[in-house]
Amino acid sequence: MIDGQGRQIGYLRLSVTDRCNCRCTYCMAEGGVPMLGHADILSFEELTAIVRAAAELGVTKVRLTGGEPLVRRGIVDLVRMVAAVPGVAEVAMTTNACLLAPVAAELREAGLTRINVSLDTLRADRYEKITRGGRLEDALAGLEAARAAGFEHTKINCVLMGGVNDDEVADVAGLAKGEPYDVRFIELMPIGPAATWPQGSFVSADVVTETLPELRFIGREGVAELYQAKSWAGCVGLIRPMSHKFCDGCSRIRVTADGRLKPCLHSAAEIGLRGLGHDELLAALRAGIAAKPKYHHMDENHASESARDMNEIGG
Ligand code: SAM
Ligand code: SF4
């Protein structure tokens, strides 16, 4: 389906839980985060019904995210259900990968096609601090298990944080030298706990091309600019919500774990999908796609207009 700005919407991001085994400093508050109750979270049947309606409207790619999708019990079954929906060609997942190693092969067998692993540092002590308790070795084991299970072109997402990990650009990008990983540097966004972080935390992704002048621009893919260096197996992507407007390349809609359609990550607009029959779901999705704003206003306001944190929406 085409939205009001002429963009083809083919990509649905489903948050399958707001819970997480980590507490990344920029994403979730350390303690006392109010969590949805089990009854508030969409069931697998409800999630699949939304995917079925979205696929009828032209969605071909579904990403399962959260919170941490791997903490949702039965996630392999959900992957199987979503992958079986007619029209769905790609089922991807965004994960911190700490719980991935034991289930990577099962996920692949169930129909998961792509994995994005969030990895902001390659230093174990830093990893523990950023994730508040996560273990780098678990995440790296997950990444390796994904490779062994046959997942290709795995993306590695690294959020750039001034004074926290911006000295590690060369090391993290270096993961793409020997393996065909797509290492993506994402500018920190003022949403969730990061909304109150000092200005110096928000570094432009220019730091990546400045640190690695051998990178050559090879094109755009959705909201990312892609770069590659001679003889590297993989590539480097820059996602710059803060320093550049990328909204003209946006093809996505999002659904929160409690069943609210968000036409834009950074807008407060939401449409309730819970309890709707198939035709009503189609109408609600059509309305949401039509209501997608032209672009976000984060760079002008230095604030997201979304009333929710990233673990609730799904990044
Ligand atoms: N738990 C999974 C993970 O970490 O990959 C999936 C959910 S997480 C909310 C999805 C992505 O959002 C992660 O790559 C995370 O780094 C990113 N994210 C969370 N808060 C962010 C912020 N304030 N700015 C930029 N990216 C953020
Ligand atoms: Fe959890 Fe992902 Fe948020 Fe980190 S970024 S707290 S892993 S949901």
Side-chain angles (χ1 to χ4, degrees):
M1 191 179 156
I2 308 281
D3 77 357
Q5 319 300 328
R7 294 170 295 203
Q8 176 82 42
I9 307 302
Y11 181 7
L12 170 64
R13 290 171 88 113
L14 277 182
S15 174
V16 301
T17 178
D18 61 338
R19 292 168 191 245
C20 189
N21 52 324
C22 292
R23 285 279 180 285
C24 298
T25 48
Y26 52 83
C27 179
M28 284 173 93
E30 188 161 16
V33 188
M35 290 291 165
L36 293 169
H38 285 291
D40 298 323
I41 290 191
L42 293 177
S43 67
F44 287 2
E45 288 70 26
E46 289 174 304
L47 287 162
T48 312
I50 292 170
V51 173
R52 208 171 291 119
E56 260 181 53
L57 295 178
V59 162
T60 57
K61 176 174 172 183
V62 178
R63 175 171 301 281
L64 306 179
T65 176
E68 174 49 46
L70 295 178
V71 303
R72 178 87 193 245
R73 198 173 303 160
I75 188 71
V76 175
D77 298 326
L78 179 63
V79 167
R80 192 170 285 113
M81 288 164 78
V82 170
V85 171
V88 172
E90 195 173 327
V91 186
M93 180 180 285
T94 301
T95 171
N96 59 41
C98 290
L99 303 170
L100 181 59
V103 288
E106 272 181 274
L107 288 167
R108 176 115 184 114
E109 178 275 323
L112 195 71
T113 52
R114 293 281 290 261
I115 296 190
N116 283 16
V117 171
S118 299
L119 192 62
D120 300 327
T121 174
L122 290 172
R123 300 191 193 170
D125 55 337
R126 244 182 214 181
Y127 189 89
E128 202 175 326
K129 264 196 202 149
I130 294 173
T131 60
R132 295 204 189 91
R135 289 175 2 136
L136 177 66
E137 61 188 274
D138 293 340
L140 294 178
L143 193 59
E144 174 51 25
R147 201 191 56 77
F151 287 101
E152 291 179 344
H153 302 292
T154 295
K155 285 183 190 150
I156 297 173
N157 288 342
C158 175
V159 177
L160 284 166
M161 291 168 273
V164 176
N165 67 349
D166 53 342
D167 57 345
E168 272 192 81
V169 164
D171 290 345
V172 177
L175 292 169
K177 277 188 186 166
E179 290 285 340
Y181 291 131
D182 183 345
V183 179
R184 301 208 156 178
F185 291 95
I186 303 169
E187 289 176 349
L188 179 68
M189 298 181 284
I191 184 169
T196 54
W197 282 21
Q199 193 58 46
S201 312
F202 296 84
V203 286
S204 159
D206 286 346
V207 67
V208 177
T209 42
E210 285 160 13
T211 307
L212 297 163
E214 63 269 44
L215 290 176
R216 293 280 166 267
F217 179 71
I218 54 168
R220 286 187 64 164
E221 189 190 83
V223 295
E225 294 160 26
L226 297 185
Y227 294 79
Q228 201 166 33
K230 249 195 193 151
S231 79
W232 284 30
C235 60
V236 170
L238 305 186
I239 302 183
R240 312 165 174 266
M242 301 306 290
S243 62
H244 291 57
K245 280 240 162 77
F246 59 32
C247 306
D248 53 338
C250 182
S251 60
R252 57 189 68 169
I253 48 172
R254 299 167 192 263
V255 174
T256 63
D258 55 350
R260 318 258 320 156
L261 172 69
K262 280 187 75 76
C264 169
L265 170 61
H266 295 296
S267 143
E270 294 184 359
I271 297 175
L273 300 181
R274 223 155 186 200
L276 302 185
H278 185 68
D279 290 344
E280 293 163 320
L281 267 180
L282 285 173
L285 288 169
R286 279 199 186 98
I289 291 172
K292 249 183 97 65
K294 192 168 182 188
Y295 40 70
H296 66 68
H297 302 281
M298 266 192 314
D299 44 354
E300 293 130 52
N301 307 337
H302 199 79
S304 171
E305 286 159 18
S306 173
R308 292 173 182 257
D309 292 354
M310 285 293 269
N311 69 301
E312 296 175 88
I313 309 166

